[in-house]
Amino acid sequence: TTTPRVPLLPYVLLGLASTVMSQEPDAEEEWAAVERRGAHLVTGAAERPFIIHGFNTYWLMSFAADEATRPRVTAAIAEAAGAGLNVCRTWAFADGGYHALQTAPFCYDEEVFQALDFVVSEARRYKMRLILSLCNNWEDYGGKAQYVRWGKEAGVDLTSDDDFFSDPTLKGYYKAFVEAVLSRINTITNEAYKDDPTILAWELINEPRCPSDPSGDTLQAWIEEMASYVKSIDTMHLVEIGIEGYYGPSTPELLLVNPDDYSGHVGTDFIRNHQAMGIDLASVHIYSDTWLPDSTEESHVQFVNTWMQQHIDDAANLLAMPIVIGEFGLSLKDGKFENEFRETFMQTVYNNFLGSWESGMIGGGCLLWQLFPEGAEHMDDGYAVIFAKSPSTFNLLANHSRKLEC
């Protein structure tokens, strides 16, 4: 059975209801996997350029696990499609706790897996690609701290959450979970995740850091091992790391591009990390509002320009891979910024990518953090864009879509 369609109030208000149509792709050619060609993405036998114009809504699986909130999943995907967005990044993990997908090592909740099935099938219905993240560096939804707790409960001698990246037992837990997700047969579409072109890419872990080893060796070894492991199961899909993009010890001349001194010593290394075999996309995040808390609006714009252009240049010229700004946003929570500047910030990100893409230099794209439908305001961390309450932001996103001809 399918969930009844949700009235799309923002589109009625904006006179755009007709733009949102749920439509099953009617030919394999139309819904072929997205592939990498050097620093660009293509899809289909004709290798049409594919540009990511995306958004984050991390809680889709959790909301789909509850009948009361499941309609918000459809609304989130449908509203984004109505603005011309074509990729959603969301969590494919929930380690322990409420609505856990992984209730314990090697144990997975079938009802929550069916919720993820629903997310994937709804994305396909609206022609929305997915970037699915497989773990979290942070404690939200479990993450590496939960793996460490499980290890300790099993009697493993662990001293730090960073042991997640090096301990063989914990790496075994993670690999088993990865295999369970990638090999999952969707109960709605009857297609294995690893064969479903709805999925654009797997993300190894959201915002990994390993400050206990600032040399970067520990995290590098983990990235190499896990990228290879994912590719051993799934040769079709692209893989990204999920790092924030901080430069590290392999490029000391670029440490000054980082927002502060600390960020160059958290165990990540933008260039070296992306030279690992099996990594297809260069992942970067942009949060100048938290990275540079005391800066002026002009300083934020300048930082975005410098941060993006350096990473775009390096992704194109050193790494020869597409760039994915996996998260970017500006919080309105503390009242420091108004929506007008948030839109200026967003436009700055889009303009930087657009200029480089139009010149033929690089492909990939950008994903806003984050997009919510009405009825999910309680999940807002200050970054949420709700179309019904911000028609101007809807128009900004729709205009960018037209420029990209997504």
Side-chain angles (χ1 to χ4, degrees), residues 77 118-128 130 198:
I77 295 171
F118 178 77
V119 172
V120 175
S121 67
E122 285 296 271
R124 182 184 180 96
R125 198 155 72 95
Y126 287 93
K127 295 188 175 181
M128 185 71 65
L130 295 171
T198 307

Side-chain angles (χ1 to χ4, degrees), residues 32-51 231 235-236 238 279-281 315-316 319-323 357 360-364:
V34 175
E35 301 177 59
R36 172 187 164 198
R37 293 289 181 271
H40 296 270
L41 298 175
V42 300
T43 186
E47 297 202 344
R48 296 183 305 276
F50 185 91
I51 305 299
K231 292 288 190 177
T235 57
M236 183 173 94
L238 304 171
I279 299 301
D280 300 294
L281 307 169
L319 302 172
M321 63 175 57
I323 192 162
W357 172 66
M361 180 179 185
I362 202 163

Side-chain angles (χ1 to χ4, degrees), residues 70-145:
R70 181 171 279 204
R72 303 270 72 78
V73 174
T74 303
I77 295 171
E79 291 180 17
L85 278 72
N86 63 358
V87 180
C88 173
R89 177 173 173 266
T90 193
W91 295 169
F93 64 86
D95 310 311
Y98 182 64
H99 281 162
L101 174 57
Q102 184 173 201
T103 56
F106 316 111
C107 299
Y108 316 110
D109 187 304
E110 176 59 24
E111 287 190 10
V112 180
F113 243 139
Q114 289 182 17
L116 186 56
D117 293 344
F118 178 77
V119 172
V120 175
S121 67
E122 285 296 271
R124 182 184 180 96
R125 198 155 72 95
Y126 287 93
K127 295 188 175 181
M128 185 71 65
R129 307 284 183 160
L130 295 171
I131 295 176
L132 296 179
S133 190
L134 296 165
C135 192
N136 204 354
N137 186 74
W138 315 112
E139 292 200 20
D140 305 271
Y141 289 71
K144 69 180 185 183

Side-chain angles (χ1 to χ4, degrees), residues 116-384:
L116 186 56
D117 293 344
F118 178 77
V119 172
V120 175
S121 67
E122 285 296 271
R124 182 184 180 96
R125 198 155 72 95
Y126 287 93
K127 295 188 175 181
M128 185 71 65
R129 307 284 183 160
L130 295 171
I131 295 176
L132 296 179
S133 190
L134 296 165
C135 192
N136 204 354
N137 186 74
W138 315 112
E139 292 200 20
D140 305 271
Y141 289 71
K144 69 180 185 183
Q146 180 60 59
Y147 279 84
V148 169
R149 284 192 289 272
W150 283 330
K152 288 180 177 177
E153 290 167 6
V156 182
D157 183 19
L158 303 168
T159 59
S160 161
D161 286 351
D162 285 354
D163 289 338
F164 169 83
F165 296 113
S166 58
D167 182 79
T169 298
L170 303 189
K171 290 194 289 185
Y173 295 166
Y174 175 84
K175 285 181 174 179
F177 175 71
V178 167
E179 182 178 17
V181 174
L182 273 57
S183 302
R184 169 76 177 178
I185 307 295
N186 191 311
T187 56
I188 300 171
T189 66
N190 294 315
E191 188 166 25
Y193 286 13
K194 65 182 179 180
D195 299 326
D196 191 342
T198 307
I199 297 166
L200 185 149
W202 300 110
E203 180 176 279
L204 298 181
I205 179 171
N206 174 54
E207 299 188 335
R209 295 183 184 183
C210 188
S212 63
D213 182 7
S215 76
D217 291 349
T218 299
L219 184 57
Q220 182 70 16
W222 186 88
I223 291 168
E224 291 173 357
E225 181 176 350
M226 298 312 170
S228 174
Y229 184 72
V230 169
K231 292 288 190 177
S232 75
I233 300 170
D234 179 354
T235 57
M236 183 173 94
H237 289 111
L238 304 171
V239 175
E240 68 177 38
I241 305 167
I243 62 172
E244 295 152 288
Y246 301 136
Y247 290 98
S250 76
T251 52
E253 71 280 8
L254 294 175
L255 291 174
L256 289 175
V257 179
N258 290 338
D260 54 33
D261 181 64
Y262 173 73
S263 54
H265 299 87
V266 294
T268 67
D269 191 320
F270 178 73
I271 300 299
R272 183 186 180 196
N273 293 162
H274 285 106
Q275 289 170 333
M277 288 289 292
I279 299 301
D280 300 294
L281 307 169
S283 52
V284 183
H285 292 180
I286 308 174
Y287 285 113
S288 63
D289 59 342
T290 56
W291 294 348
L292 308 170
D294 301 318
S295 295
T296 63
E297 292 183 355
E298 293 78 11
S299 297
H300 285 285
V301 170
Q302 183 56 51
F303 175 81
V304 171
N305 289 333
T306 302
W307 184 249
M308 284 192 70
Q309 285 307 313
Q310 185 66 58
H311 285 83
I312 287 171
D313 289 348
D314 291 338
N317 299 320
L318 293 181
L319 302 172
M321 63 175 57
I323 192 162
V324 176
I325 309 299
E327 297 182 21
F328 72 96
L330 194 81
S331 176
L332 305 184
K333 201 167 195 174
D334 61 7
K336 183 178 178 182
F337 300 110
E338 301 294 334
N339 191 60
E340 182 180 0
F341 180 66
R342 174 152 74 183
E343 292 181 356
T344 298
F345 176 89
M346 291 169 60
Q347 194 63 62
T348 302
V349 172
Y350 289 141
N351 288 346
N352 273 282
F353 175 77
L354 197 62
S356 298
W357 172 66
E358 288 176 337
S359 73
M361 180 179 185
I362 202 163
C366 312
L367 298 99
L368 176 69
W369 183 276
Q370 52 186 332
L371 190 62
F372 282 13
E374 284 193 290
E377 288 87 348
H378 63 288
M379 300 291 284
D380 186 7
D381 56 0
Y383 290 87

